[in-house]
Amino acid sequence: GTILSVNAVACKHYRVPYEDFINLSILEIDASENKDAIMQNVEELLLTGSTRFEAIHKNSRGETFNVDVIAQQITWKNEPAYIHVCRDMSKQKQLQKALNDSEVKLKEIINQISDGILIYEQNGKIVIWNSGAEKITGIKKADALGRMLYELQYDILHGVYKDRALIQKMFNEVVNMTNPDLINKLFENDIYVEGKGVRTVQAIVFPIELEGGNRLFGSVLRDITETKMIENQLRELNATKDKIFSIIA
């Protein structure tokens, strides 16, 4: 593991002069704590002649940074040796951490929204199911995640729309984007909720565009049972009022 030569970029990045770099051991610049992984990478390099892995290196100040290492067997002065191309991945790692943190915060926000929010993949697999969806449908997050949306819909739908073939047809039209009448439009359906009976739910479906032409799909649910009851009561009241006025006339 003795270093035979380095370029100027390595000297600058590791803050080590060329003459001090030569004859250092690779282990002296490696700050990875997982020594078993290091030995595994060495064994793969010796066995296959090449390998690629991530590691943590340190400079002369003790500052650590993530590197992507491509290792390849070569011949150096008629002797077998290995060249390591190390690329600093610190910024990428920081960006990934920021993205992960943002995703966690987004999920926390979604979970606090009273409306039901669910997100599913193009094949129908549910990947997000917030507390609002739990409350509206009576289905716990643990029981919803990983399930196919169209199967779950069949389980909870009530009435004329509890039709497996129709549910599958409408699902295919949504994920294949072949029926614009189903996208970003409000729909009302009756569902059966354990302990609550039949509830009326308003829903809207929308696509979520991702890089590379991929997409997810989301849906927002709202229980409008009480609102529908009030609307029906007002409708009956208006009908009664019109009947009374017609009798008086």
Side-chain angles (χ1 to χ4, degrees), residues 26-247:
I26 287 290
L27 294 178
E28 292 182 76
I29 64 169
D30 196 305
S32 305
E33 295 181 357
N34 191 343
K35 302 304 178 184
D36 290 338
I38 295 175
M39 294 309 301
Q40 184 177 348
N41 293 329
V42 170
E43 289 174 3
E44 183 176 355
L45 182 57
L46 293 174
L47 182 64
T48 65
S50 65
T51 187
R52 183 172 185 171
F53 55 91
E54 291 186 12
I56 300 175
H57 283 184
K58 61 182 178 181
N59 61 24
S60 61
R61 296 179 178 178
E63 298 166 336
T64 60
F65 48 92
N66 298 88
V67 289
D68 175 44
V69 181
I70 299 175
Q72 178 70 48
Q73 186 176 25
I74 61 170
T75 299
W76 177 268
K77 296 181 180 180
N78 297 321
E79 295 289 339
Y82 299 91
I83 184 170
H84 285 203
V85 179
C86 303
R87 183 169 63 91
D88 191 336
M89 295 181 61
S90 299
K91 290 184 178 179
Q92 291 91 327
K93 288 291 186 181
Q94 291 169 4
L95 178 59
Q96 185 61 55
K97 183 179 183 302
L99 289 173
N100 291 340
D101 291 344
S102 297
E103 183 179 356
V104 170
K105 290 178 181 177
L106 177 60
K107 287 182 178 179
E108 289 177 351
I109 293 171
I110 288 176
N111 203 46
Q112 294 178 43
I113 297 174
S114 58
D115 287 342
I117 296 180
L118 59 115
I119 295 176
Y120 54 96
E121 297 175 347
Q122 200 157 0
N123 63 359
K125 182 180 177 181
I126 298 170
V127 294
I128 290 180
W129 185 269
N130 78 338
S131 58
E134 285 188 343
K135 183 177 180 181
I136 291 171
T137 65
I139 298 175
K140 297 296 183 183
K141 176 181 177 180
D143 297 326
L145 292 181
R147 286 196 64 186
M148 295 300 172
L149 176 68
Y150 45 84
E151 295 176 353
L152 187 145
Q153 284 177 315
Y154 181 78
D155 289 344
I156 65 176
L157 277 173
H158 177 81
V160 295
Y161 290 106
K162 191 178 179 69
D163 182 314
R164 198 180 296 275
L166 177 61
I167 292 170
Q168 186 69 59
K169 175 178 178 294
M170 294 180 70
F171 170 81
N172 291 337
E173 290 176 345
V174 167
V175 296
N176 293 318
M177 304 286 284
T178 56
N179 188 348
D181 292 335
L182 298 177
I183 304 295
N184 291 316
K185 303 290 177 62
L186 289 173
F187 293 91
E188 293 181 8
N189 285 303
D190 288 339
I191 64 172
Y192 182 81
V193 181
E194 191 71 31
K196 293 183 179 180
V198 178
R199 309 289 294 180
T200 302
V201 173
Q202 187 181 73
I204 187 170
V205 178
F206 54 90
I208 303 170
E209 301 296 336
L210 305 175
E211 292 183 356
N214 299 314
R215 62 170 62 98
L216 297 172
F217 290 86
S219 184
V220 179
L221 311 177
R222 178 171 293 177
D223 189 331
I224 59 170
T225 306
E226 279 71 28
T227 302
K228 296 295 290 185
M229 289 174 60
I230 293 172
E231 287 178 356
N232 291 335
Q233 290 171 1
L234 289 173
R235 195 176 297 112
E236 292 174 2
L237 182 60
N238 285 331
T240 302
K241 180 188 67 175
D242 292 340
K243 185 176 180 181
I244 292 174
F245 285 161
S246 66
I247 293 174

Side-chain angles (χ1 to χ4, degrees), residues 2-16:
T2 302
I3 296 174
L4 302 175
S5 182
V6 294
N7 65 1
V9 174
C11 292
K12 181 179 180 181
H13 205 74
Y14 289 82
R15 300 180 182 275
V16 178

